[in-house]
Each structure stands twice: as C-alpha cells, then as structure tokens.
C-alpha cells in the first residue's frame, strides 16, 4: 500500500529537494518509483515492525562485516554483535576475561598464554577452540589479508596451539597494548568455517562468529538482519543477560536523512537511531522517547601544530598559544554539559589516569605570559603572529575555534579559521607538514582508541602525518609500549604525558571528542552503551505495548492533500566513520 511517509523518505535520500504540491488522490494510483507496484490506497499506513523485532536505523551502512577488512566505527558496531573477543572491558575500561577465562604474560613480556572457556560454539555449530584462535590471529597478521589494524596486534612471531583450550602467542619484543587490543571488536575471533563457507565473500555474503547475534541476510545500503544466537553464553560483556538475547530479530536499516529517521522513530517504524546534536534538547522533552549518551568513549579532542617550519617548530610559539587560550571557559560556553574539559592527553578509560597530576604539567591561561613569549619571538601589536586554525565540520567545533580566535587576538595572534571534511583535513595537515614555507598552522583534531599507545602512533618518528617528533620522546614512547608491568607502565604513561604538556606538543581540549547520542522509543528496554561506544542489545526487550502494536492508520480522506515541505540534507551529523584515529592504522 502506498505510504506518503515512505515516499518522502525515498526522495529525501537526495539532497535539497523541495517538494511542492505533492498531490495524493485517494483512488487507484499508478506509482512508478523504485519499481513499486501499482496499488490502491484509502489511507496513510505506517509499517510497524514484526513482534519481537528491534529496528535500528543508522545514517550510513557498514562497509564489511570482516573484522580484518574494516576500520569504520559503523562496521565495528555490527561486528561487535556477531563476534566475541578473547578479553573484555568492564565499565571502567579495565580488562577482564571473556572467551579466554584466564591469561598470563611471562617475565620478559614476550609470551602471552590464553586459556579458553569450554564448549564455545560458533553460529554454525562448529566448536570454537585454540585452533580457531590461531586461525584468527594468523589471518589478521598475514600481509595478504591487508588488515588495516595489523600493527595493533603487535610484533607477533608465532601462535602456538598448546592443547584444545590453550594458546601461546610469542612476540619479537614486549608489547604491552596487546591485552587491551584483545578486548576491542577489531580483534574479534573468527570461526574458520566462515572462510570455508564464504571464501572471498566473507564479511559481505555472510559471517560466522560466536557473538550474541547470528547473520541472516544483508541488502547493502538498505538493511542488515541478525537473529539471536541460541547457543550464546556471555563471559565478559557488561550486561545482565548471560545467555541468548531476548528479542527475536535485530534489523539495522540505512536511512541517510535525519528527518526520516526521527519521523520513523516517532511513528513506530523503528525503535532506535542516532540524532544530531541540535535535536538532543528537544528529544529530552519528549516523554515517548529515551535519550542515551555514550560515555567513556576513549575519544579526545586536542590542538596540534605544524612543526616542520616556523613558527611552531619553536616551543615558545606553541606555548604562547597554550597560554593564550582558556580551554575550560570555551568548552563551558560552547559545549556546556555535553563534554568534560581535559588536561591530560589521554582519557581515564584508556588507562588509569590522574587529572591532578596532569594539571601540574599543563599550561594554564596567562595572557601576559603569552605576550612575553611572542615578544621574545619578534612579534608585537604592530606585527602579530598570523596563523591558520583548521578543524573538521560538525560538533560545534567551528564555534570553539571562533572562541579561540577572539582569545588569541587579545595576545597578538591573528588566526584565520577554516573548516572542512575530515578527509580533506587529514590531507591538508600532511601537505602543510611537508612545506618549508607558509603561515603557522594549528589544527583541532580528534582521536579515538582503547589504549595510551595511540600516543606512539601520533608522535613517534616519523610522527603522524610528518608531525612533531623528537629522539627523547621516541625513547619515552618505546618504553611506554614495552613496559608490561602495570606499575612501570603507569610511570611511563605519566612521563610521556608530562613531555607532551611541558613542550606544548598537543593541547588537550575535551572528551568525549564527538557526541554519540542514541534515542529510542519508550517501549525499548534494556539498551546499554558499553565503554568505547559499544551498543549492547543482550538485555533489550520490547514492552508488551510494542509487541502488540499494530500499524497506525490515519483517517481516510476523499479529498486530495497538498503537502509543501523542504528537505535539507545538510544535517548536523558527525562524519563519525572517518574521524582520524588509530583505527585507521
């Protein structure tokens, strides 16, 4: 049956359409749109989901369900439903058992031993054992796999099957981030039968893991269908349900336009979606909806400098910027209540941290000190330092830079602002870091990861995009990632952060770096967001009212309707699956 709501959604996939005088005559209509059949309609009908089915609408589809082929957070969300990991994070970001019930590392930090739980079943009924772990890791680090997260596995030399439930992983050198990576969805364990079944089409035509949901079908660009794994046993996820998920089906729809998603949520066509930040305050007021905000995401936003050329190859110029801005005041004015100002280069959930300690190292606002440093560099009121401030679109980041622009002008720094998409920003930074001449460049960048090792990726020679690096910092970063003793590693993490703050290599701004908000119908119960922005559906139930909900029918009309609507696709949504991060290693 023809639906105006469905018709508008189809058209709103295209940008900047203005629909004027869409005439619907309640008679037999011949509709030639997307091969829709000719139908007769006497009413406006909203399609309600099947009983027990949860529909989650997202602004973009996954690229693949192969954990070794994707670095997209949107794929990561679904990978996390289909597969499980050897280890897991608790609600504070600490490591705990999962598929592996215990693990250990030898004295030199080069040999890890994992003992698996018994009777773990893959979705196709095959047994998940030590051979499956070896298969997964060997495939992940094989150059032919072209795994973008290969470096995150560390310098693995061999993977040895000791017995059916025991695996030993030997490293060429100590690599302390390894256990934390084994709790991230990109380290998801694959069942060997998946490759045998799907070959080169694994991750597209199908997927087989041990996670709470099984792959059913996927029409790319439209919807992905999952169903509960009847053999599932939860060993490490921070949910209450220890077995099979309660719902009958999980459908993930692709709906690019925010207006269409919110309309579908309110009409009962979907149960969950991600709203733009501009709608959050309004959605909070709607008693028929529930709003969720991801916390402990591991995301940090900071300022960094092009240090290949003057003026920011000089520490004094970088410090002048740090003294010249008031981060706390700016964040409170622009993002009040949504984020927390950061003084540390890493966030707590990545590793036990001490904001008070970072406060001792960080540079506090001091306009007079900023002016003094600029004077020592030869700048004055008559000769201001001219710089360019860059960032990527969305999240009110341009407003933050406008605030900084005003503050910097007061100390003698003239800043020109530029915003662009994240891909263009990354390319621009790389280009600027290779040029010996030009104005000073500062960019506001965001990174997301699970471990302080992202600092190694950023600053160890040759540096991220050719950015800052030094021999002293290289040594500290190498020591940080090779210290497997927790106390020693804590000390090294502090030393690295002290160096970065003392030398104004990066100026921490706030966390979470970009807001992940979710909104659901009030009938959805038990939804939870784990650390590092991981949606969990293990505990999700639909209330009786939703289970029995029938399609909503609007009053029939014998008169023609005229609808005038402008649909603007320039929604205020983050390009979350392309944010610069170690996920793109």
């Amino acid at each position: 049956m023809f639906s105006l709501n469905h018709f508008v959604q189809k058209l709103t996939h295209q940008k900047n359409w203005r629909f004027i005088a869409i005439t619907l005559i309640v008679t037999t209509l011949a509709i030639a749109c997307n091969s829709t059949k000719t139908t007769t309609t006497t009413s406006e009908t909203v399609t309600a989901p099947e009983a027990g089915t949860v529909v989650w609408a997202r602004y973009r589809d996954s690229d693949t369900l192969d954990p070794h082929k994707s670095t997209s957070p949107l794929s990561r969300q679904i990978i996390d439903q289909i597969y499980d990991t050897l280890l897991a994070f608790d609600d504070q970001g600490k490591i705990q058992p999962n598929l592996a019930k215990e693990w250990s590392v030898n004295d030199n930090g080069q040999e890890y031993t994992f003992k698996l739980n018994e009777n773990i079943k893959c979705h196709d009924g095959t047994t998940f054992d030590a051979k499956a772990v070896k298969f997964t890791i060997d495939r992940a680090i094989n150059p032919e796999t072209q795994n973008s997260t290969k470096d995150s596995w560390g310098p693995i030399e061999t993977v040895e099957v000791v017995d059916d439930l025991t695996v030993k992983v030997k490293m060429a050198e100590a690599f302390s981030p390894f256990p934390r990576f084994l709790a991230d969805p990109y380290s998801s364990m694959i069942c060997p039968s998946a490759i045998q079944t799907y070959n080169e089409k694994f991750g597209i035509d199908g997927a087989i893991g041990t996670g709470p949901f099984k792959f059913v079908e996927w029409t790319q660009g439209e919807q992905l269908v999952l169903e509960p794994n009847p053999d599932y046993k939860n060993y490490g996820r921070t949910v209450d349900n220890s077995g099979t998920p309660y719902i009958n089906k999980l459908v993930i729809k692709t709906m690019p336009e925010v207006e269409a998603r919110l309309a579908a949520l309110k009409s009962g066509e979907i149960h969950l979606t991600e709203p733009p930040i501009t709608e959050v305050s309004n959605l909070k007021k709607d008693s028929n909806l529930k709003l969720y905000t991801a916390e402990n995401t591991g995301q940090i936003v900071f300022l960094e400098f092009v240090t290949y050329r003057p003026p920011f190859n000089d520490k004094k110029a970088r410090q002048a910027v740090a003294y010249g801005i008031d981060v706390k005041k700016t964040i409170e004015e622009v993002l009040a209540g949504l984020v927390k100002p950061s003084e540390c280069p890493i966030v707590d959930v990545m590793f036990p941290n001490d904001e008070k300690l970072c406060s001792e190292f960080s540079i506090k606002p001091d306009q007079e000190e900023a002016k003094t440093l600029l004077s020592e560099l030869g700048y004055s009121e008559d000769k201001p330092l001219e710089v360019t401030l860059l960032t990527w679109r969305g999240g009110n980041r341009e407003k933050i830079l406008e605030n900084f622009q005003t503050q910097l002008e007061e100390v003698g720094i003239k800043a020109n602002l530029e915003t662009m998409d994240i891909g263009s920003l990354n390319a621009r930074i790389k280009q600027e870091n290779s040029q010996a001449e030009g104005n000073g460049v500062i960019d506001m960048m965001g990174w997301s990861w699970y471990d302080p090792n992202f600092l190694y990726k950023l600053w160890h020679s040759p540096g991220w995009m050719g950015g800052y690096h030094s021999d002293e910092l290289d040594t500290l970063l190498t020591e940080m990632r090779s210290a497997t003793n927790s106390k020693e590693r804590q000390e090294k993490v502090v030393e690295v952060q002290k160096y970065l703050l003392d030398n104004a290599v990066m100026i921490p701004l706030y966390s979470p770096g970009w807001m992940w908000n979710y909104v659901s119908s009030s009938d959805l119960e038990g939804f939870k967001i784990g650390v590092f922005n991981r949606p969990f559906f293990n505990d999700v139930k639909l209330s009786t009212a939703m289970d029995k909900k029938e399609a909503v029918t609007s009053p029939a009309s014998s008169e023609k309707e005229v609808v005038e609507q402008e649909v603007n696709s320039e929604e205020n949504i983050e390009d979350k699956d392309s944010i610069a991060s170690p996920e793109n290693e």
Side-chain angles (χ1 to χ4, degrees):
M1 188 168 288
F2 174 73
S3 161
L4 172 61
N5 186 46
H6 177 70
F7 180 59
V8 170
Q9 289 176 32
K10 285 288 185 181
L11 288 178
T12 54
H13 289 184
Q14 304 176 42
K15 292 186 176 181
N16 300 324
W17 278 86
R18 179 182 296 271
F19 303 114
I20 299 177
I22 299 177
T23 304
L24 304 179
I25 302 175
V26 188
T27 54
T28 303
L29 298 177
I31 306 298
C33 178
N34 294 326
S35 300
T36 307
K37 294 180 179 179
T38 299
T39 58
T40 300
T41 181
T42 58
S43 65
E44 180 71 17
T45 303
V46 172
T47 304
E50 296 178 5
T53 295
V54 168
V55 182
W56 175 17
R58 306 188 303 168
Y59 67 96
R60 192 176 299 168
D61 203 354
S62 303
D63 55 2
T64 176
L65 304 180
D66 183 345
H68 303 156
K69 298 291 187 181
S70 178
T71 56
S72 162
L74 289 173
S75 292
R76 181 176 178 267
Q77 290 179 333
I78 310 304
I79 285 170
D80 202 23
Q81 313 305 323
I82 298 174
Y83 309 92
D84 241 327
T85 49
L86 287 181
L87 304 178
F89 292 114
D90 68 11
D91 284 331
Q92 285 72 49
K94 296 179 181 178
I95 297 296
Q96 61 185 20
N98 196 23
L99 293 178
K101 63 181 180 181
E102 58 185 66
W103 77 97
S104 61
V105 58
N106 68 351
D107 291 340
N108 67 10
Q110 294 180 236
E111 184 175 287
Y112 289 87
T113 302
F114 301 92
K115 188 75 174 179
L116 302 178
N117 285 290
E118 299 179 356
N119 300 319
I120 301 173
K121 294 294 183 183
C122 296
H123 294 157
D124 60 354
T126 57
T127 299
F128 180 86
D129 55 15
K131 292 180 181 178
V133 175
K134 174 177 170 57
F135 174 85
T136 297
I137 299 177
D138 285 345
R139 181 178 186 267
I141 64 176
N142 186 340
E144 293 183 3
T145 304
Q146 298 182 337
N147 183 3
S148 296
T149 59
K150 177 180 179 295
D151 290 346
S152 299
W153 291 87
I156 295 175
E157 287 189 326
T158 61
V159 183
E160 176 187 347
V161 174
V162 178
D163 58 43
D164 288 348
L165 298 176
T166 309
V167 182
K168 278 189 179 181
V169 179
K170 295 182 180 180
M171 302 276 185
E173 58 188 39
F175 185 69
S176 56
F178 185 52
R180 292 184 65 79
F181 177 65
L182 293 181
D184 186 86
Y186 289 130
S187 74
S188 292
M189 294 290 110
I190 297 171
C191 293
S193 56
I195 307 301
Q196 298 168 4
T197 302
Y198 299 108
N199 298 305
E200 296 300 318
K201 290 292 187 177
F202 168 65
I204 302 297
D205 286 356
I208 301 173
T210 65
F213 288 92
K214 300 168 58 175
F215 177 95
V216 177
E217 61 181 2
W218 185 15
T219 303
Q220 288 185 292
E222 295 186 17
Q223 71 174 29
L224 170 69
V225 181
L226 306 177
E227 65 182 14
N229 173 11
D231 297 319
Y232 184 70
K233 293 181 181 179
N234 177 40
Y235 296 105
R237 293 177 187 244
T238 53
V239 296
D240 296 329
N241 181 11
S242 61
T244 305
Y246 301 121
I247 58 176
N248 296 334
K249 193 179 294 183
L250 177 61
V251 177
I252 302 95
K253 281 184 173 291
T254 300
M255 299 178 69
E257 298 297 339
V258 64
E259 295 92 346
R261 294 199 304 276
L262 293 179
L265 179 68
K266 292 176 181 179
S267 69
E269 291 179 80
I270 68 172
H271 304 101
L272 181 73
T273 191
E274 295 91 21
I277 190 172
T278 52
E279 292 292 330
V280 169
S281 59
N282 291 330
L283 295 172
K284 283 182 178 179
K285 301 173 186 176
D286 193 330
S287 60
N288 295 316
L289 303 175
K290 296 179 183 178
L291 188 70
Y292 313 80
T293 298
E295 300 177 353
N296 293 331
T297 61
Q299 303 161 349
I300 180 90
V301 169
F302 55 92
L303 295 182
E304 62 178 353
F305 305 86
V306 168
T307 58
Y308 186 75
R309 62 175 186 262
F312 295 124
N313 59 347
D314 191 315
K315 178 171 70 173
K316 289 182 179 180
R318 301 193 301 271
Q319 290 175 331
V321 173
Y323 281 119
I325 61 175
D326 191 329
V327 174
K328 185 176 181 181
K329 179 182 177 182
T330 297
I331 300 308
E332 287 177 350
E333 289 180 4
V334 180
L335 297 172
L338 294 174
V339 301
K340 177 183 176 184
S342 299
E343 289 195 86
C344 293
I346 65 171
V347 294
D348 291 348
V349 72
M350 286 188 194
F351 201 76
N353 217 352
D354 188 342
E355 285 284 347
K356 292 182 180 179
L357 190 62
C358 291
S359 184
E360 295 177 15
F361 309 145
S362 62
I363 295 174
K364 304 299 186 296
D366 188 333
Q367 289 191 338
E368 292 308 312
E369 183 63 25
K371 292 177 182 178
T372 298
L373 289 170
L374 289 170
S375 177
E376 292 175 4
L377 293 170
Y379 300 101
S380 64
E381 185 176 343
D382 296 329
K383 184 188 174 184
L385 170 60
E386 292 196 20
V387 303
T388 302
L389 271 173
L390 308 172
T391 193
W392 79 100
R393 296 190 186 100
N396 283 350
R397 282 180 288 273
E398 188 168 12
K399 291 183 179 179
I400 293 173
L401 289 192
E402 289 173 356
N403 205 304
F404 288 160
Q405 182 185 44
T406 301
Q407 295 171 2
L408 291 172
E409 187 175 4
E410 293 175 358
V411 301
I413 299 176
K414 182 181 179 181
N416 300 304
L417 310 185
E418 294 185 34
T419 59
M420 58 201 72
D421 64 83
I422 188 65
S424 297
L425 178 62
N426 289 339
R428 175 72 174 274
I429 295 168
K430 186 174 182 179
Q431 178 187 28
E432 293 285 355
N433 271 317
S434 66
Q435 294 178 346
E437 296 182 356
N439 284 347
V441 175
I442 310 168
D443 69 89
M444 185 161 73
M445 179 56 66
W447 281 60
S448 172
W449 206 227
Y450 55 85
D451 186 86
N453 190 53
F454 89 99
L455 296 175
Y456 184 98
K457 177 71 174 179
L458 268 173
W459 309 120
H460 191 278
S461 297
W464 183 72
M465 297 291 186
Y468 182 93
H469 54 274
S470 73
D471 291 343
E472 182 182 355
L473 182 55
D474 281 354
T475 298
L476 292 173
L477 290 166
T478 299
E479 291 174 349
M480 181 186 76
R481 75 191 246 148
S482 61
T484 53
N485 176 279
S486 58
K487 182 179 180 181
E488 180 185 359
R489 189 167 195 237
Q490 175 72 51
E491 293 172 351
K492 296 301 180 183
V493 170
V494 170
E495 288 182 38
V496 168
Q497 293 187 91
K498 183 178 186 300
Y499 182 98
L500 294 171
L501 295 172
D502 282 346
N503 291 276
V505 176
M506 61 187 291
I507 303 175
L509 298 180
Y510 59 91
S511 182
W514 40 97
M515 276 59 73
W516 275 95
N517 293 297
Y518 299 80
V519 61
S520 77
S521 61
S522 59
D523 302 292
L524 189 75
E525 301 172 353
F527 177 68
K528 178 180 179 180
I529 310 171
V531 295
F532 304 110
N533 186 30
R534 296 171 67 176
F536 290 146
F537 292 86
N538 302 60
D539 295 332
V540 167
K541 295 179 180 179
L542 291 171
S543 69
T544 304
M546 175 59 75
D547 285 345
K548 294 181 178 180
K549 189 172 183 178
E550 296 179 352
V552 179
T553 304
S554 63
S557 173
S558 58
E559 303 292 333
K560 65 181 181 180
E561 291 186 48
V562 178
V563 180
E564 179 173 336
Q565 177 182 2
E566 179 176 317
V567 179
N568 184 2
S569 65
E570 295 299 321
E571 56 193 79
N572 184 21
I573 288 188
E574 309 277 355
D575 191 8
K576 297 186 185 99
D577 58 344
S578 59
I579 299 302
S581 77
E583 293 170 1
N584 295 326
E585 286 183 337

